[in-house]
């Protein structure tokens, strides 16, 4: 247990509080509750610590939830950019590393209990905990490299967006856009023309855009901007083991370097600040990478850990002992002049992944309400009875809106939006997309705030270790499902999933007289799954489309024709080059980093 009677501990879902005779033991629960404001006012340092606990937890969840946004299945990636070129969207369409299953509601408490009990008896067996703390510090330091690198890199991306925005507005509302190739700012007119401002030559916003610098310094600033914003292509190949391609930026590399330095400093100094930074990183990446998959699975997992937390805190000494004896970054430590407090990462990550799911569900509904239903004609040919029977009917095809990535817009929002419209920016399509309604997210955050305040109040009232999930799980889950019930969207909540089942194209649906979807008839891609018995063609103009088999045959025929026509052409040089490439042995190890071609600065 906690030896210091002025220490608050909230670790791994548990809490412990001892206050020296702050409340008389003979008071009733109601009298203790009514006396809380007086106690907090008399103990200002305790009030500050509690505010820091609540603010830190909510800030981690808020930032992590927004960083966990992905393309929702109700939106589609645009195939072409504004110039009509085909674009790739690897950074906008990545998948979650870990999606939870309903069975995890049973496995999580069992595995957590096994680890907790093992650590407890290891602590009792060892006479010197310094050895165990050192081993665990090395383990968590190595495991936190990726998490801290991600956290530092995203902070650097945020700082880069603030220093080098793509748009900014003057006091009179004039909106300036940047042209990286021309290295100049312009104003877009209603007719689509660009009005260039010859005075604004630096890549900095507002008054600094007219900073009178030499050509060499100005060029240096533009090169720095290009270095921080451009994407590098990295390929890692190890024969028979890995073959990966991914995109990185300079800030990502710098973030990893900072993470290595922070880990070395933590291992040599055991600094509380660095330990907290590791805790922030674990919470941040945990919320980003983990997904409950569905609201049903998330609710089941949280309530499984809800009962686990109650048992481990109220009926065993395992939780509090492990939390207070180990000096490892599994908690956030807050130190005051006379008191200290600890917040376990489990009280942030576990409710946080559910709250992040609420935000992504809001994102899903934002695009779901923008979908269009286009009339299509279904032509069905049935040969099962031995006769050809053709049936024509008109249904609706769901056309999903194009996806606009809302991430990375903090700098543009800061420089292009007035304070009164900071929560509803409209300067660019990306800013408008980032301001989608967040009803379920705000409801879950409100439930988390009330539950955290209740947890801290119970600590003061009962002066006994309190399982935080006892209050956090009902607070967050009840607020979310109650919001769905009030809005009449329980059906949408229950059907929402992030396993990819909703991410289909050309869905044919049946609607009622009011235009509401009452039944999904499948997608156009599934039209020939019944073999030769039934074939369905979908058209928007009443004409028949070529089936996939016909298209494949036509393409093969075209290839044969092209090959036959090429026989008479002397292509011996091409054959030799192809043979040389084929005979070249593949590499055993390859690590390459490719940067895009530098901009060719156009004349003004």
């Amino acid at each position: 247990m906690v030896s210091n009677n002025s220490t608050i501990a909230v670790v791994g879902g548990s809490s412990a509080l001892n206050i020296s005779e702050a409340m008389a033991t003979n008071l009733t629960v109601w009298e203790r509750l009514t006396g809380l404001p007086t106690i907090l006012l008399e103990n200002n340092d305790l009030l500050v610590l509690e505010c820091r606990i609540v603010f830190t937890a909510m800030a981690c969840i808020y930032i992590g939830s927004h960083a966990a946004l992905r393309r929702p299945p109700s939106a589609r990636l645009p195939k072409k950019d504004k110039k009509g070129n085909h674009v790739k969207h690897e950074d906008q369409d990545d998948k979650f590393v870990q999606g939870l299953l309903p069975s995890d509601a049973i496995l999580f408490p069992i595995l957590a209990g096994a680890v907790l009990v093992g650590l407890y008896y290891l602590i009792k067996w060892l006479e010197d905990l310094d050895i165990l703390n050192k081993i665990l510090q090395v383990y968590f330091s190595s495991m936190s490299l990726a998490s801290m690198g991600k956290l530092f890199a995203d902070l650097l991306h945020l700082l880069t967006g603030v220093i080098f925005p793509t748009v900014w507005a003057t006091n009179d509302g004039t909106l300036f856009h940047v042209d990286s190739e021309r290295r100049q700012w312009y104003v877009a007119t209603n007719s689509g023309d660009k009005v260039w401002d010859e005075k604004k030559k630096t890549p900095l916003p507002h008054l600094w855009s007219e900073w009178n610098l030499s050509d060499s310094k100005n060029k240096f600033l533009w090169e720095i901007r290009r270095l921080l914003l451009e994407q590098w292509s990295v390929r890692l190949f190890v024969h028979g083991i890995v073959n990966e391609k991914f995109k990185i930026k300079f800030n990502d590399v710098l973030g990893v370097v900072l993470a290595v330095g922070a880990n070395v400093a933590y291992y040599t100094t055991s600094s509380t600040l660095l330990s907290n930074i590791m805790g922030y990183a674990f919470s941040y990446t945990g919320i980003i990478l983990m997904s409950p998959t569905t609201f049903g699975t998330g609710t089941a997992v949280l309530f499984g850990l809800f009962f686990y937390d109650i048992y481990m805190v109220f009926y065993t000494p395992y939780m509090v002992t492990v939390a207070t004896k180990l000096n490892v970054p599994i908690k956030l430590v807050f130190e005051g002049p006379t008191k200290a407090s600890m917040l376990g990462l489990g009280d942030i990550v576990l409710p946080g992944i559910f709250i992040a799911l609420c935000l992504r569900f809001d994102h899903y509904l934002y695009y779901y309400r923008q979908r269009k239903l286009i009339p299509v004609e279904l032509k069905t040919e049935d040969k099962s009875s031995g006769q050809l029977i053709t049936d024509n009917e008109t249904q609706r095809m769901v056309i999903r809106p194009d996806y606009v990535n809302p991430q990375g817009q903090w700098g543009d929002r800061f420089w292009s939006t007035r304070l009164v419209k900071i929560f509803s920016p409209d300067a660019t399509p990306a800013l408008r997309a980032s301001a989608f309604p967040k009803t379920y997210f705000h409801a879950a955050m409100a439930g988390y705030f009330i539950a955290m305040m209740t947890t801290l109040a119970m600590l003061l009232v009962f002066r006994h270790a309190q399982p935080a999930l006892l209050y956090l799980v009902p607070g967050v889950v009840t607020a979310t499902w109650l919001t769905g019930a009030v809005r009449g969207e329980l059906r949408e909540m229950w059907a929402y999933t992030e396993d990819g089942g909703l991410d289909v194209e050309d869905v044919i649906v049946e609607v009622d007289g009011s235009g509401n979807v009452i039944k999904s008839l499948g997608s156009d891609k599934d039209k020939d799954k019944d073999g030769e018995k039934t074939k369905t063609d979908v058209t928007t103009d009443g004409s028949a489309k070529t089936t996939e088999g016909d298209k494949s045959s036509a393409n093969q025929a075209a290839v044969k024709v092209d090959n036959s026509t090429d026989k008479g052409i002397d292509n011996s040089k091409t054959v030799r080059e192809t043979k040389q490439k084929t005979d070249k042995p593949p590499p055993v190890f390859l690590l390459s980093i490719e940067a895009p071609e530098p901009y060719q600065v156009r004349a003004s």
Side-chain angles (χ1 to χ4, degrees), residues 86 112 200 237 254 421 454 473-474 598:
H86 290 272
K200 297 176 172 52
F237 176 80
L254 184 58
K421 297 182 62 178
T454 304
V473 170

Side-chain angles (χ1 to χ4, degrees), residues 8 36-52 336-339:
I8 301 174
L36 280 179
T38 304
I39 296 297
L40 292 176
L41 291 176
E42 292 176 355
N43 297 268
N44 293 330
D45 52 349
L46 178 61
L47 178 61
V48 171
L49 286 176
E50 291 189 356
C51 293
R52 290 172 62 186
T338 59
K339 295 180 175 63

Side-chain angles (χ1 to χ4, degrees), residues 504-508 520-528 538:
V504 295
E505 298 181 358
D506 302 335
V507 178
I508 309 299
S520 176
L521 304 179
S523 64
D524 183 31
K525 293 182 178 181
D526 301 330
K527 59 187 178 181
D528 287 332
V538 181

Side-chain angles (χ1 to χ4, degrees), residues 23-201:
M23 293 180 175
T25 57
N26 58 350
L27 295 179
T28 64
V29 175
W30 175 253
E31 290 173 339
R32 294 179 183 181
L33 285 173
T34 55
L36 280 179
T38 304
I39 296 297
L40 292 176
L41 291 176
E42 292 176 355
N43 297 268
N44 293 330
D45 52 349
L46 178 61
L47 178 61
V48 171
L49 286 176
E50 291 189 356
C51 293
R52 290 172 62 186
I53 290 174
V54 177
F55 174 79
T56 301
M58 298 192 67
C60 287
I61 293 176
Y62 183 91
I63 298 173
S65 298
H66 283 80
L69 285 175
R70 303 292 194 276
R71 178 183 65 87
S74 56
R76 64 178 181 181
L77 288 173
K79 297 180 180 180
K80 296 182 179 181
D81 57 13
K82 295 181 179 179
K83 298 180 180 180
N85 300 320
H86 290 272
V87 293
K88 296 182 179 181
H89 305 270
E90 293 91 344
D91 58 331
Q92 300 182 18
D93 208 31
D94 50 349
K95 303 299 181 183
F96 293 98
V97 173
Q98 180 63 47
L100 302 185
L101 300 174
S103 58
D104 292 328
I106 300 176
L107 292 178
F108 270 31
I110 294 176
L111 295 177
V115 173
L116 187 65
V117 172
L119 287 174
Y120 174 81
Y121 285 106
L122 185 60
I123 291 173
K124 292 297 183 180
W125 180 68
L126 290 175
E127 296 180 357
D128 186 9
L129 291 181
D130 290 340
I131 299 177
L132 180 59
N133 282 325
K134 286 293 184 182
I135 294 175
L136 292 178
Q137 285 177 0
V138 173
Y139 171 76
F140 281 103
S141 296
S142 58
M143 293 296 293
S144 67
L145 278 176
S147 299
M148 294 184 68
K150 173 64 175 175
L151 177 63
F152 289 153
D154 287 353
L155 289 175
L156 292 173
H157 290 319
L158 173 63
L159 183 61
T160 300
V162 173
I163 299 177
F164 299 113
T166 59
V167 295
W168 59 270
T170 60
N171 295 331
D172 59 0
T174 304
L175 190 65
F176 283 89
H177 302 259
V178 68
D179 189 322
S180 300
E181 296 185 10
R182 188 164 177 171
R183 294 183 176 181
Q184 204 168 355
W185 296 92
Y186 68 89
V187 177
T189 62
N190 295 331
S191 60
D193 297 331
K194 298 179 180 180
V195 179
W196 303 95
D197 193 324
E198 302 295 339
K199 297 181 180 180
K200 297 176 172 52
K201 297 182 179 180

Side-chain angles (χ1 to χ4, degrees), residues 468-521:
L469 294 182
L470 171 63
Y471 310 98
L472 294 177
V473 170
V476 172
V477 173
T478 301
T480 303
W481 286 103
L482 184 60
T483 302
V486 172
R487 295 172 60 87
E489 295 174 341
L490 290 177
R491 181 180 178 182
E492 287 80 1
M493 287 182 63
W494 187 259
Y496 177 71
T497 179
E498 295 181 338
D499 62 359
L502 298 178
D503 194 8
V504 295
E505 298 181 358
D506 302 335
V507 178
I508 309 299
V509 296
E510 182 178 344
V511 299
D512 57 15
S514 302
N516 300 319
V517 177
I518 59 176
K519 183 180 179 181
S520 176
L521 304 179

